[in-house]
Amino acid sequence: MRTVIKKYKDFELSDNDPTFRTEFFIARARPTRWPGDAKYGIKSTKKTLRRAVDRNRGKRMLRVWIRGCEKYMSPDLDYIFIVRARILDADFTLAQNLMRTAMKKLKTEN
């Protein structure tokens, strides 16, 4: 299992980093700073989901999808996932397929 990005400065991305947008989340990738220590992070903002319960639920849902698709993640990339408002209405199988597609696309773009 990958380690989790916790520091705010580690969430910084450049405009050149590949991005994959879905109706449920936005996935971005960048080369890891330290080889062998690939990480992932999840952002969920008040602007997107007003209630803390909804923000936490969105993050939990993303974690489940990430664990299910971890084998598709590149060991040389850090991933940032941004929660979108429609995540609360997501169908599990559709979202899992979108996550798999995102991982494959971000892996090939780097």
Side-chain angles (χ1 to χ4, degrees):
M1 186 70 192
R2 291 174 176 253
T3 56
V4 179
I5 297 173
K6 295 181 181 176
K7 295 182 181 177
Y8 179 77
K9 67 176 183 161
D10 292 336
F11 277 95
E12 294 175 357
L13 294 165
S14 71
D15 293 335
N16 299 332
D17 293 331
T19 303
F20 186 84
R21 297 174 188 274
T22 71
E23 59 186 311
F24 308 127
F25 62 90
I26 299 171
R28 298 189 75 181
R30 66 162 185 235
T32 185
R33 293 183 180 154
W34 297 279
D37 188 28
K39 299 179 178 189
Y40 76 94
I42 299 174
K43 282 185 177 182
S44 184
T45 63
K46 261 189 183 179
K47 185 176 180 180
T48 304
L49 297 168
R50 298 298 291 163
R51 299 176 2 173
V53 173
D54 294 336
R55 289 192 300 275
N56 291 335
R57 182 170 176 237
K59 290 190 280 188
R60 279 194 313 271
M61 292 170 77
L62 268 178
R63 279 188 211 107
V64 169
W65 301 338
I66 291 167
R67 283 187 203 115
C69 295
E70 193 166 9
K71 62 185 172 193
Y72 300 106
M73 296 172 99
S74 172
D76 301 327
L77 296 175
D78 288 341
Y79 293 90
I80 305 293
F81 298 95
I82 304 166
V83 174
R84 295 182 112 177
R86 298 270 326 261
I87 196 166
L88 301 176
D89 304 326
D91 175 54
F92 181 78
T93 54
L94 171 63
Q96 191 77 20
N97 290 336
L98 286 172
M99 181 64 74
R100 189 175 305 116
T101 304
M103 295 302 108
K104 289 178 181 178
K105 184 171 167 67
L106 292 173
K107 192 175 188 178
T108 58
E109 285 186 12
N110 266 329

